[in-house]
Structures are given as structure tokens and as C-alpha cells.
Amino acid sequence: MPVLQRRDLLRAATVSAAAGGVLLAAAPAGAAARVVAERRLGPRVRDLTIASPAMRRNMKARVILPRGWNRRRRWPLLWLLHGGNDDYRAWTRESEIVRMSAAHRMMVVMPEGGSGGGYTDWMVGPQWETFHLEELRGILMSRYGASRRQAVAGLSAGGYGALIYSARHPGMFAFTGSFSGYGATLLPGAPEVLLTGIPGSGAEKFLMWGQPQLNRDVWEEHDPLTQAHRLRGTRLYVSCARNGVKGPLDPETAHAADPAEAFCLYTTRPLVARLRRLKIPVTADLYPRGTHTWPYFRRGLRRSWPMIIRALKA
């Protein structure tokens, strides 16, 4: 059976759009991303609105500036990626990142990542990877003084984003952290689970990477497990519960089991094993119990913080 081609995806997208879906056209040639608004939320926190040719719309990113910031200096940069069903405000709302970063000469950026399929360039549709790593990164380096010394971490889908961005761009990040992220996309059953989080229905879901059986090469290009060898040279931290049962940080009212965390373990454990077979150092914090919730994501950030600071030399 032939591989699903771009023209087939375009046809599916056109049908989807006619049925009420949204089709994002290609960006105009020569267009450049630019900041169209900047909102000051505090002494160090700003929200940027960016006109993104890759996304064909305005996008948001929250930036935490270091004390004494000025545009003439170069500042190490930490990327924090949010999970699905959340947005660029998640880390400042749910963690102490503003306080944690205050003592260090570093910048932090928390970009919008979408609610599903948000850390990749789709075959037909949004170009998240281009927006993050070309457009936004370029703006932060040229306009806000970000240096080339950068680190990336994320939770859940953002943990996947951190892993695959680092694998697809070796050397771009000095540190990569995944807090209950997923480390594989092609294990048995994994594509079906991942596709449930993609917006739309039917053929729309395959606009991202095509069909996993027919377009396996595209899926492999976006699979941290397949691309694990490209993580060599990056300081790696991976955390996840060994099962999804209620743990010490959960309230009494929490459900006894959390299938989302169990799925993350299912995809993370093989990645850790492969990294070790490849003799690529990884700090793996596979703690006994815990759910797929913010108390554990915050703990992952705190536990990996010394590694982040060392990697950024901040």
C-alpha cells in the first residue's frame, strides 16, 4: 500500500475544512515573525504577542527576565513547555518558577504549545516546531538578549516536546528535562493513545504525521525512542511514577489510579533503557507512586534545578 502523500493529506484537509474543520495554509514566502504587543505583568514578567507566519496567526509567549536585564548583554535561556489542555501561563500559575529564577542570571520562556499535537510541524497544518525554534528563538536572541546557551524542560506533552526538540536539534540545548512526558510514539498501542489527543476527528488526526503504519518514516522522525542516539551530549533528566496509583503528594480525594501516568511510564521506561544501552548518561527519577498532576511536575522541576543551573552556567 502506498505511503500517504502530502496531496492526499491536502485532500483530506480540504474535506475536513468543508465540514467545519480548520485548515492552515502555508506561510507567505519571505514573511518574518515579529512582536506586535508586549504586556508587562510585573518587574520581570512579560507576555509577548507574536505575529507568526509559521502558525498563520498571533501567538503568545510568557518571558521571565533576569534581575538587571538589558538588551546589550547575553543571557542563558530556559524553555519550559506546558502539557496538553493548558497554555503558556501554566508554569507561572502552578509553579514557583518566577521565584526560583530570581537568584540566577538567566531568562525563562514559556511559549504557547497548543492543546494537542503542539510540539511538531504538521505535514498539513500548524508549524509548531518552526514557530518555537526558529521564529520565537530568533526573536529572543535578537531582541531580548538570549544567548545560545539554552535548556529545555516540560511536563506531559511538553516533556515529549523537550525530548524530541533536543533529539531533532542536537546541540541546541545543554539540558533536557521531561517530567511525566512520553518517550516513545511507536510502541504497541501508543499511536492510538496519542491520536486521541489530536484535535479533530477522522482524517484530520492524520494531518500531523500521516498514518503510523503507512507513514512510519515520519513517525520515526518524531519518536524520541528511535532518535535517542541524537540526545548524546545533552544533560538528561527524566521523571515519572512507576505506576499511576495515588502517591504521597496526592490529596485524599484523588483517584486511586491515573492511566495517564501509567502511559507515560510505558513510553518512558524503554527510552531510559535505550539511553543506557547507548551509554548516554541520563538521570532517571522513576519514583514508586504518583499521579499525572502538578505536585509531581513541580517536584521534577525542583529536583532537576541544580542540573539546569549547571548546564546554563547561570
Side-chain angles (χ1 to χ4, degrees):
M1 189 177 292
V3 172
L4 194 62
Q5 299 294 330
R6 184 177 175 87
R7 63 178 178 272
D8 302 314
L9 291 167
L10 283 167
R11 188 179 302 113
T14 303
V15 171
S16 170
V22 177
L23 173 62
L24 300 180
R34 69 189 190 280
V35 176
V36 295
E38 182 179 299
R39 182 185 176 201
R40 188 185 298 266
L41 301 180
R44 300 171 47 234
V45 182
R46 301 183 185 182
D47 277 359
L48 309 182
T49 303
I50 298 157
S52 166
M55 297 297 293
R56 300 286 294 175
R57 58 190 171 96
N58 287 348
M59 301 298 298
K60 293 286 191 179
R62 180 162 290 179
V63 177
I64 303 173
L65 300 172
R67 296 185 189 277
W69 172 82
N70 65 69
R71 302 175 192 272
R72 296 182 298 276
R73 292 195 55 177
R74 288 291 167 186
W75 308 91
L77 176 64
L78 169 63
W79 295 72
L80 286 180
L81 309 180
H82 66 77
N85 300 318
D86 217 323
D87 62 26
Y88 69 100
R89 299 167 291 187
W91 279 102
T92 52
R93 185 187 67 238
E94 300 288 351
S95 81
E96 298 180 333
I97 184 58
V98 176
R99 181 192 60 77
M100 291 172 69
S101 62
H104 303 282
R105 305 180 75 80
M106 60 185 285
M107 295 173 56
V108 183
V109 63
M110 296 149 288
E112 179 58 51
S115 61
Y119 298 105
T120 184
D121 282 357
W122 287 38
M123 294 175 71
V124 177
Q127 305 292 290
W128 289 101
E129 186 174 351
T130 298
F131 165 62
H132 290 146
L133 301 187
E134 294 184 20
E135 294 180 341
L136 178 56
R137 185 170 183 263
I139 285 170
L140 294 172
M141 293 176 68
S142 64
R143 179 166 173 168
Y144 292 88
S147 75
R148 291 188 176 276
R149 181 164 290 278
Q150 301 184 15
V152 62
L155 67 95
S156 191
Y160 162 78
L163 290 167
I164 200 60
Y165 279 180
S166 297
R168 287 175 55 81
H169 302 270
M172 180 175 286
F173 299 105
F175 167 90
T176 299
S178 172
F179 315 132
S180 295
Y182 39 93
T185 62
L186 280 168
L187 294 175
E192 290 76 11
V193 173
L194 295 174
L195 286 169
T196 63
I198 305 302
S201 60
E204 287 177 272
K205 292 183 179 291
F206 299 119
L207 299 179
M208 185 170 72
W209 297 331
Q211 297 177 355
Q213 297 83 12
L214 304 181
N215 299 86
R216 189 177 179 87
D217 58 332
V218 181
W219 280 73
E220 287 179 346
E221 289 172 6
H222 298 89
D223 177 25
L225 183 61
T226 303
Q227 304 299 327
H229 61 286
R230 295 167 65 87
L231 291 168
R232 191 180 303 278
T234 300
R235 291 185 176 97
L236 298 171
Y237 177 94
V238 175
S239 63
C240 187
R242 290 182 192 150
N243 55 50
V245 297
K246 186 164 62 176
L249 303 184
D250 291 298
E252 289 296 323
T253 55
H255 293 294
D258 188 338
E261 191 69 8
F263 175 73
C264 291
L265 177 69
Y266 172 62
T267 61
T268 294
R269 188 171 266 163
L271 175 64
V272 171
R274 179 149 195 252
L275 290 168
R276 288 175 171 164
R277 286 197 303 273
L278 293 170
K279 300 189 185 315
I280 297 175
V282 55
T283 298
D285 180 14
L286 303 182
Y287 43 91
R289 294 178 296 125
T291 55
H292 198 70
T293 55
W294 270 102
Y296 300 95
F297 307 150
R298 285 192 293 265
R299 188 175 69 178
L301 179 63
R302 288 195 303 269
R303 287 181 173 180
S304 62
W305 192 249
M307 293 180 65
I308 294 172
I309 298 306
R310 285 196 298 271
L312 290 179
K313 299 182 179 178

